[in-house]
Amino acid sequence: MGLPALTQQERVAALNKAAAARAARAAAKEQLKAGTLSVNELLTAATQDDAIARLRVTELLESLPGVGAVTARNLLQQLGIAASRRVKGLGTRQREALVDFMNEKQIHPHTASKEYVSKNPGLTVLAGPTAVGKGTVSTYIRDNYPNVWLSVSATTRPPRPGEQDGVHYFFKSPEEFDALIEAGELLEWAVVHGQNRYGTLRSTVEAAIADGRSVLLEIDLQGARQVKQAVPDAKFVFLAPPSWEEMVRRLVGRGTETADEQQQRLETAKLELAAEPEFDHTVINDDVRRAADELVSLMGLIPNPR
Ligand code: 5GP
């Protein structure tokens, strides 16, 4: 049985309503592009306005300055959001992850395109001994250099307090990690500190490089050696401590590991320090900001003259 036919008047009203909804979505996308509307504000508007609520998340992302189709696809994949999803179909966790992600990656419309441009996009690997502060340097870069695409690794380690799936790591069960290895989805992977497995997701990294992004992997030495085999023309940067004493102090000061784990990490660190000559460049982590600036300039990122 068919639906009752619309009257001419009803058809005109429906067409007008659809046209108004499309215009509202187009206006919202323009505002995102111009930086006058943030992602957070758009998500809030969508709770009141059905036209905005029907905007596809892919279109939302692609409206952001500096985010192309490939980057948008990557972001969706990293956040576990289907490409066809509309704003109103996002779950609470996905909405939070999206906003956090925008903040973490500093994809702020106001800053994304104007601060830094890349003159030599490609792959850079940052490795170094345990507790040298790789994580702190990469967090600083994530928060201050919006044009660096920092890879999010998969790991079997459980999340620490405050860590979010898809933002800090993709947290996987051992079985899920096995499946990634079997499917050839990891560019490299390693057991770190004899405990958990960590690996780089090949497809997201390849897509970001294809998108012209400056990609940074912050991984352990074993992983760096694997990347050297797979991508010999990548840039390899060794992050070194100012001194051994300082490194011990940082390791013990972190306080997130047991005494046994600390001892294990120190043993690993001694071996890792000897690997410096395998790298193209060494950056001394005497000051996080200075080290991050040096790394970013080694990656070919320069202040945008515009
Ligand atoms: P944490 O558990 O403290 O976050 O990281 C422990 C170590 O794992 C760090 O030295 C970090 O560089 C390394 N790591 C993080 N992600 C990866 C990855 O994808 N591959 C490899 N090989 N190591 C990683």
Side-chain angles (χ1 to χ4, degrees):
M1 194 180 70
L3 294 169
L6 294 179
T7 64
Q8 173 68 9
Q9 205 181 5
E10 284 168 335
R11 210 164 32 238
V12 169
L15 285 173
N16 285 344
K17 193 175 167 204
R22 275 199 302 277
R25 284 194 288 276
K29 287 198 286 184
E30 281 304 314
Q31 288 174 356
L32 283 173
K33 195 171 276 169
T36 51
L37 182 72
S38 72
V39 172
N40 204 5
E41 286 162 347
L42 181 131
L43 292 177
T44 307
T47 60
Q48 316 284 329
D49 183 337
D50 193 52
I52 304 294
R54 294 182 64 77
L55 180 69
R56 285 188 201 281
V57 183
T58 307
E59 288 184 84
L60 182 168
L61 292 176
E62 288 181 10
S63 302
L64 297 171
V67 178
V70 176
T71 304
R73 208 173 58 221
N74 264 340
L75 294 178
L76 289 174
Q77 197 175 344
Q78 294 200 16
L79 296 169
I81 299 171
S84 58
R85 185 59 52 90
R86 292 178 194 272
V87 166
K88 71 174 179 184
L90 290 172
T92 311
R93 276 197 58 200
Q94 286 177 323
R95 293 163 61 94
E96 284 169 5
L98 190 59
V99 171
D100 283 352
F101 197 88
M102 294 298 147
N103 292 335
E104 293 268 354
K105 293 274 177 202
Q106 295 279 298
I107 302 179
H108 297 311
H110 317 279
T111 57
S113 61
K114 67 170 188 272
E115 278 192 0
Y116 293 91
V117 291
S118 173
K119 61 176 181 182
N120 182 21
L123 182 60
T124 301
V125 176
L126 178 69
T130 301
V132 74
K134 290 181 303 244
T136 319
V137 170
S138 61
T139 300
Y140 184 88
I141 286 176
R142 189 173 61 190
D143 291 346
N144 292 281
Y145 294 92
N147 285 4
V148 173
W149 189 92
L150 186 62
S151 169
V152 180
S153 300
T155 182
T156 56
R157 150 166 102 54
R160 295 188 184 126
E163 284 185 334
Q164 274 181 292
D165 191 37
V167 175
H168 300 94
Y169 282 104
F170 291 102
F171 296 101
K172 302 286 178 191
S173 68
E175 295 74 24
E176 287 169 334
F177 204 93
D178 288 342
L180 287 174
I181 296 171
E182 271 162 39
E185 285 183 31
L186 298 180
L187 176 61
E188 61 73 35
W189 69 272
V191 177
V192 181
H193 308 309
Q195 282 184 329
N196 294 301
R197 288 180 289 173
Y198 297 77
T200 303
L201 294 162
R202 182 191 298 278
S203 59
T204 58
V205 167
E206 285 177 351
I209 292 172
D211 216 14
R213 305 297 305 269
S214 290
V215 173
L216 180 63
L217 308 185
E218 184 263 284
I219 58 180
D220 90 319
L221 190 60
Q222 308 166 75
R225 288 182 175 133
Q226 292 172 44
V227 178
K228 188 136 197 175
Q229 293 294 316
V231 194
D233 59 352
K235 213 168 273 172
F236 293 85
V237 180
F238 189 81
L239 190 68
S243 66
W244 172 255
E245 290 71 25
E246 175 60 18
M247 196 163 93
V248 173
R249 196 186 64 73
R250 285 181 197 176
L251 178 57
V252 173
R254 191 151 74 171
T256 47
E257 293 85 26
T258 65
D260 273 359
E261 280 169 350
Q262 284 173 2
Q263 191 54 40
Q264 165 93 57
R265 286 188 176 212
L266 276 178
E267 294 300 322
T268 311
K270 274 186 209 156
L271 289 173
E272 288 177 337
L273 268 182
E276 186 184 341
E278 296 171 37
F279 285 73
D280 302 322
H281 306 276
T282 296
V283 169
I284 309 276
N285 188 16
D286 45 3
D287 173 83
V288 172
R289 184 175 172 171
R290 196 209 60 75
D293 284 351
E294 188 180 345
L295 173 63
V296 164
S297 58
L298 285 171
M299 291 177 74
L301 287 164
I302 52 170
N304 187 341
R306 274 175 298 161

